[in-house]
Structures are given as C-alpha cells and as structure tokens.
Amino acid sequence: MTHIADRVVADDTLTSAQAPPDRIALARVAVEEILAAAHEAGDWHAVRTLHAVCALLSAARH
C-alpha cells in the first residue's frame, strides 16, 4: 500500500537559485574602465595592452 503524505517539503537543493554572475563580462567592464583611465592619462602602452586583454576576454566568451 502506498502512503501519500499530507504535505511535501522541498529540499533546498530543489529551489531555483540565481544564475552565477558572468565573471568574464564583469572583468571586461573593469578592464574597460581602466582602459578609459589609461587613455585619459596618455599611457599608450597600457592602452594597447588593455585592448589586447579586452580582445582575449571577448574570445573567451565564444
């Protein structure tokens, strides 16, 4: 004979959790902010390097 419980309590693992943050997108935003500061300061070596980092972050997404 099968017993049907009056109520069912869901475990915490069954609840819908928020999706983890997109760390690559967050990193890209941070690098772009640093890139803007380097551009304003006229540090062209840093600008070229940060452009390369942005390109790598974009490539990692695909």
Side-chain angles (χ1 to χ4, degrees), residues 1 4-5 10 14 18-19 26 30-31 47 51 54:
M1 176 176 204
I4 300 174
L14 297 176
Q18 289 183 342
L26 294 174
V31 170
V47 169
H51 271 295
C54 285

Side-chain angles (χ1 to χ4, degrees), residues 14-35:
L14 297 176
T15 60
S16 61
Q18 289 183 342
D22 185 1
R23 297 192 190 286
I24 292 177
L26 294 174
R28 183 173 172 83
V29 169
V31 170
E32 286 176 351
E33 290 174 1
I34 298 167
L35 177 61

Side-chain angles (χ1 to χ4, degrees), residues 24 54-62:
I24 292 177
C54 285
L56 289 172
L57 289 171
S58 293
R61 173 170 284 250
H62 299 290

